[in-house]
Amino acid sequence: MSISLSVHGAAQTVTGSCYLLQSGRTRFLIDCGMFQGSKTLKALNYGDFPFKPDDIDFVLLTHAHIDHSGLIPKLVKKGFAGPIYATHGTIDLLTCMLPDSAHIQETEVDQLNKRNARRGRPEVTPIYTLEDAEAALRTFSPVAYDEWIEPAEGVRARFWNAGHILGSSSIEIELMTGIESPRTMRLLFSGDIGPEVTSFHPTPDSPRNLDYLICEATYGARERPAMTLASRRDLLAAEANEALKGKGVLIVPSFAVERTQELLSDLLALAHERRIPQVPIFLDSPLAIRATEVFVDHARELEDGDAFRHAMRSPLLRTTESVQESMMIERIEGSHIIVAASGMCDAGRIRHHLKNHLWRNNATVLMVGYQAEGTLGRILQNGVRAVRIQGEEVKVNASIRTLDIYSGHADGPGLASWVEERGPVSRGIILVHGEKEGIAGLDERLADRGLDGERIFAPELDAVFDLLAESPATRERPAPRRLQPEFVGHQDWHNDLSRLWLDLEEELDQAADDKARRVILRRIRRALENEHD
């Protein structure tokens, strides 16, 4: 009998979480997420899975975020017919998140096909449709925390609260090996581990004494200052008061699930206490609006859920469901706050607000979540002078701020402590869901705590592990890769082209006269001709 683990997502990147476990004839997935980041990385969403969907027996889902769940409709569309196990909170969130994701796919492809028609290019099809998302939702089976399920013979699983978002889990798995030693193999998939300070959830918990631990490393290289709910609100109040001076506008790109609800809870509490101006707060994301309703429905499961339910009834909070309502926000005079998705500024209504405000001196963009490499959010964080949004150049005169206190992920010391508390881990710790810096940072922290470096692995995309191999050196084996490592977790040529285009426009604008501009263009033309030679 063989037992193998294939890392088909979240390897050297924070998105696309997907792991294939094969134990004898049983094949199942932990997560099936969508890749986010550069266009090269996102192109993987359109390609074939690196496995046959109809060979998969079942899926265990850690939580509802699209980078963990977003390709489930495609999985079902391509032939998967088994059950998907998830907590009640996760399923309730996905009833709005997967249809929303499908709507985004259909809308963006429709816009792209209109551009392709004008350019004489072939049409493309969406990754999946609303009908596909609704079909996928019918395959879910709810599970409770702390209770064993047996989805296949020789396989047991148990879900533990991960403290990341509503319904989020770390998943413990026990496999019968078919051999005398070890008779049973125990694995734990961390999912995304929540931070020390959160408005809604208790401290993450999960079992000890494992054979393998597959652990996220999003913020493995980062250390946050000690924080309480009160100090978090103090920092938010300082940012908001500065942004709202002189009829200023505060724009917050926010992940629709959990981050938005925590942020709104704090903003409304501060406004109620008159610690920030009592200005309109627009929640401009249909998904975030529906997700907030799910949180209200689950208020009994949240810490201080009654206060959250009460805050969401504030007259300062204004929700904009339709596109027309969203566009009306631009007519508002005076200070106001806009909270809109997506959190990495890669899609959704936030791009419309950035296009209309980045060029203004009295606007502030406040980043409150992780910005993956290659996304517009990361590009803005890096301090660029201009960006291209929907094909147009937009100067960046707004203040770009980052407040790393609303992340849903534990920082480096928090992750290292969580890993240490899961010990002993006898065979291997596999670090995933992090860019190179985060994985290296967590690796170093674990080594400092005396964990055996030979048993800490940082796989590349599509790596395969033989979990029964005796030697650490032989556990990871070569496998076909969909994308070479140098293209994972980095900016790609699309980012380079956009930056080159902006630099060229700036050079032409600053040139002394038309003659100088022609010289610049001739040099570029000559460089292109030399490249062809």
Side-chain angles (χ1 to χ4, degrees), residues 108-126:
E108 290 187 346
V109 165
D110 181 62
Q111 295 170 348
L112 176 60
N113 282 335
K114 289 177 181 178
R115 295 196 298 271
N116 284 347
R118 292 192 293 268
R119 298 168 180 171
R121 297 178 180 175
E123 285 193 349
V124 297
T125 57

Side-chain angles (χ1 to χ4, degrees), residues 139-272:
T139 68
F140 279 85
S141 294
V143 298
Y145 285 125
D146 306 328
E147 293 183 7
W148 286 105
I149 62 170
E150 190 170 341
E153 185 178 354
V155 180
R156 294 205 308 165
R158 181 163 51 169
F159 288 62
W160 296 78
N161 185 4
H164 175 60
I165 66 170
L166 177 67
S168 65
S169 307
S170 299
I171 301 179
E172 177 187 6
I173 298 171
E174 284 190 358
L175 303 173
M176 297 301 296
T177 66
I179 58 178
E180 187 170 331
S181 180
R183 187 177 300 276
T184 302
M185 178 169 287
R186 300 183 68 228
L187 304 93
L188 180 66
F189 289 80
S190 71
D192 290 353
I193 299 300
E196 181 179 349
V197 177
T198 175
S199 304
F200 300 144
H201 306 295
T203 302
D205 191 20
S206 44
R208 302 172 60 95
N209 192 20
L210 306 161
D211 292 295
Y212 286 98
L213 172 59
I214 297 85
C215 183
E216 69 123 323
T218 309
Y219 282 139
R222 190 171 302 185
E223 183 171 352
R224 301 190 190 98
M227 189 69 57
T228 64
L229 181 59
S231 60
R232 186 177 80 179
R233 289 180 175 175
D234 289 342
L235 291 172
L236 179 62
E239 293 286 348
N241 284 322
E242 183 64 28
L244 297 173
K245 288 180 180 177
K247 297 185 177 180
V249 177
L250 174 60
I251 302 166
V252 187
S254 183
F255 297 99
V257 177
E258 193 85 15
R259 303 291 77 72
T260 288
Q261 289 73 37
E262 285 200 313
L263 180 69
L264 289 177
S265 180
D266 284 358
L267 284 171
L268 291 166
L270 291 170
H272 177 73

